[in-house]
Amino acid sequence: MNYTFHWNQALRRLPEMLDGALVTLQVASLAMLIGIVIAVFLAYGRLSDNRTARAVATGWVEIARNTPALFQIYFFYFGLGSFGLRLDPFSALLAGIAFNNAGYLAETFRGGLQAIPPSQTRAARSLGLSALQTSVHVVLPQMFRIVFYPMTNQMVWSILMSSLGVIVGMTSDLTGVTQELNARTFRTFEFFALAAVLYYAMAKLTILAARLIGWRLFRT
Amino acid sequence: MFDTAFSSNDLMFLLKGAWLTIQLTVVAVAIGTVLGVVFGWARESLPGWVNVPIGAVLDVLRSVPLLIQLVLVNSGKSILGLSWSPFVVGAVVLGLYTAAYCTEIVRGGILAVPATTRRAARSLGMTYWQDLTSIVAPIALRVSLPGWIGLTLGVMKDTALVMWIGIAELLRSSQIVITRIQEPLLVLAIAGLIYFVISFPVSRLGAFLERRWADDSLKADQ
């Protein structure tokens, strides 16, 4: 082995990489928020009696779960060009991960919704709550409690998935920054090893933060 | 009305990519399953000083993006002067990645076997090995199979990332065709359809087995 590691060179660039990590967290969180909102609708759509709603929701879920996340990002980056819509790498990445998150979370939420006894909905309705009020005040709070742990996993997935942005030319997130530095210095191993450490730290911090939030919200 | 430059040659090119995707999936899942069974057993049966380090390494494999792992191993092999082909690098990384998840699935399966059942087997005079292969394995297999099918599908989708180290699998092939004929939507739709055709039957099979085996265990309870 005649290779000399230059860890100092990588460590000197740590501030830039930490900025990248911040962008990664932003993309992942934003994609998660959008995904959660869409997933609630998809989950209700999957359980709905309306045939169209069910078809749309099922189609979304099946595509999101049966094709690679990178394929979905590709679709938003290259595919939308056919409609004259050009997304920059950031938007394409965000849209791709949000689409993916929504598909996976919809199935989780559906399980959560089904775990809540229908008698509760009937009780709420007979007390005079509207369908919307029943969902917002009775069903959804309990559902979020049930699905909180799987949601934490999805958030970690969201962070790891955001590394794919570099393939469509994203340069500001952690992997993008790392790739840029790599292209300038050819210290591939050092920079990517550092990136791996940062991703690991982000994943663990996310789980820790979720524990704290979960404890604060649900006392579990 | 509907005019396209997409030719049957392009379709063959995509199918060739899909074949590479399938090959890579099979190799990675094979490596991952063998290692996963060994590690899963080790995590449940060996003392802490072996099992904690294994668990830590597998945890890292699950918490670092696959893309980063691919780049690391790819540059690591050059540093060590190994002349592995990109396919080998992809198979090794995906195999270890699969092993990390498979270990947890196998472990869950082993944990699902009641301790009393195992003790009963031993009291009947079975050796440790007989207990493991004739009592634990069949029960654990039933519990872990749905998770294992899900994992296989996940790995199939994750093979798309090996394009980054220069393998023209399905997604990369479709990108090449897009560059040539400039019809991204059509080509991506076809690629997506191929992915779907590969994974949908497997996921149906998983759902079917899950349902069937769940019924079976109900029957056993009655």
Side-chain angles (χ1 to χ4, degrees):
Chain A
M1 189 171 108
N2 42 22
Y3 182 88
T4 330
F5 288 100
H6 289 268
W7 292 104
N8 274 331
Q9 209 176 347
L11 284 173
R12 263 206 309 273
R13 302 306 194 125
L14 191 60
E16 286 166 60
M17 292 177 74
L18 285 174
D19 287 344
L22 212 59
V23 176
T24 291
L25 282 179
Q26 283 166 353
V27 176
S29 317
L30 213 54
M32 190 68 187
L33 282 178
I34 301 172
I36 290 173
V37 173
I38 299 174
V40 169
F41 288 102
L42 290 180
Y44 273 112
R46 295 267 282 173
L47 297 170
S48 143
D49 292 328
N50 183 322
R51 195 183 286 252
T52 324
R54 218 166 46 218
V56 170
T58 308
W60 185 314
V61 169
E62 293 293 350
I63 293 173
R65 289 166 59 101
N66 285 312
T67 61
L70 184 56
F71 168 84
Q72 291 154 26
I73 297 167
Y74 259 47
F75 179 82
F76 285 104
Y77 190 66
F78 295 112
L80 289 187
S82 300
F83 302 116
L85 200 64
R86 290 248 165 255
L87 293 186
D88 56 304
F90 182 90
S91 318
L93 177 65
L94 183 61
I97 310 178
F99 179 87
N100 189 279
N101 279 342
Y104 276 88
L105 287 173
E107 280 299 86
T108 314
F109 288 179
R110 185 169 66 116
L113 287 177
Q114 281 172 329
I116 297 161
S119 51
Q120 289 200 14
T121 308
R122 285 199 295 271
R125 292 308 299 278
S126 39
L127 284 171
L129 270 72
S130 71
L132 184 68
Q133 282 173 324
T134 308
S135 287
V136 173
H137 297 295
V138 178
V139 178
L140 286 180
Q142 298 187 74
M143 183 208 73
F144 276 113
R145 184 184 190 142
I146 297 171
V147 300
F148 190 73
Y149 181 69
M151 261 168 66
T152 310
N153 279 340
Q154 191 64 39
M155 180 62 203
V156 174
W157 275 111
S158 191
I159 292 174
L160 300 188
M161 246 191 293
S162 68
S163 69
L164 301 181
V166 73
I167 301 181
V168 291
M170 178 95 175
T171 51
S172 54
D173 76 317
L174 178 51
T175 311
V177 169
T178 312
Q179 175 59 20
E180 286 273 286
L181 291 170
N182 167 39
R184 250 187 279 156
T185 61
F186 292 110
R187 292 285 155 201
T188 313
F189 193 87
E190 289 89 331
F191 278 115
F192 277 90
L194 198 54
V197 172
L198 292 178
Y199 271 110
Y200 184 79
M202 279 195 279
K204 290 294 141 186
L205 283 177
T206 303
I207 291 172
L208 191 69
R211 286 260 166 80
L212 292 176
I213 295 171
W215 182 80
R216 181 83 182 71
L217 284 179
F218 310 121
R219 309 272 169 205
T220 46
Chain B
M1 161 205 130
F2 186 71
D3 194 29
T4 176
F6 190 83
S7 65
S8 59
N9 271 335
D10 292 328
L11 185 64
M12 282 315 291
F13 189 67
L14 288 189
L15 288 177
K16 224 188 259 171
W19 176 231
L20 206 58
T21 292
I22 293 175
Q23 280 176 309
L24 204 51
T25 309
V26 170
V27 175
V29 169
I31 298 176
T33 306
V34 171
L35 288 179
V37 168
V38 173
F39 290 151
W41 167 79
R43 296 268 284 145
E44 265 324 290
S45 320
L46 296 184
W49 61 271
V50 206
N51 142 25
V52 171
I54 295 180
V57 171
L58 297 180
D59 183 45
V60 170
L61 290 179
R62 270 180 272 123
S63 310
V64 171
L66 192 56
L67 193 66
I68 306 270
Q69 296 183 33
L70 277 168
V71 175
L72 273 180
V73 172
N74 200 34
S75 72
K77 79 139 205 233
S78 315
I79 290 175
L80 293 173
L82 301 168
S83 53
W84 289 359
S85 71
F87 186 89
V88 174
V89 174
V92 166
V93 173
L94 279 166
L96 287 174
Y97 183 78
T98 312
Y101 285 94
C102 194
T103 300
E104 290 310 310
I105 293 173
V106 171
R107 197 171 157 219
I110 295 177
L111 279 173
V113 182
T116 46
T117 309
R118 298 191 67 173
R119 252 178 268 141
R122 295 303 298 275
S123 329
L124 285 170
M126 286 181 154
T127 63
Y128 178 79
W129 184 246
Q130 283 173 326
D131 162 48
L132 205 61
T133 53
S134 317
I135 305 295
V136 177
I139 301 177
L141 183 69
R142 296 196 144 205
V143 178
S144 346
L145 197 101
W148 184 83
I149 295 227
L151 176 64
T152 303
L153 291 175
V155 173
M156 196 274 290
K157 288 176 279 169
D158 286 336
T159 56
L161 305 197
V162 301
M163 66 152 77
W164 191 245
I165 57 171
I167 303 177
E169 41 61 70
L170 178 51
L171 195 56
R172 174 75 199 158
S173 306
S174 55
Q175 196 189 358
I176 293 169
V177 176
I178 290 173
T179 314
R180 200 175 72 71
I181 69 173
Q182 295 297 324
E183 291 173 44
L185 202 61
L186 176 72
V187 179
L188 281 178
I190 294 171
L193 201 65
I194 299 177
Y195 273 116
F196 201 79
V197 166
I198 300 174
S199 70
F200 194 68
V202 185
S203 92
R204 285 296 102 187
L205 177 73
F208 169 74
L209 285 175
E210 202 172 347
R211 209 169 336 116
R212 201 187 131 110
W213 287 3
D215 283 346
D216 234 30
S217 63
L218 275 181
K219 269 179 243 150
D221 282 342
Q222 284 162 0

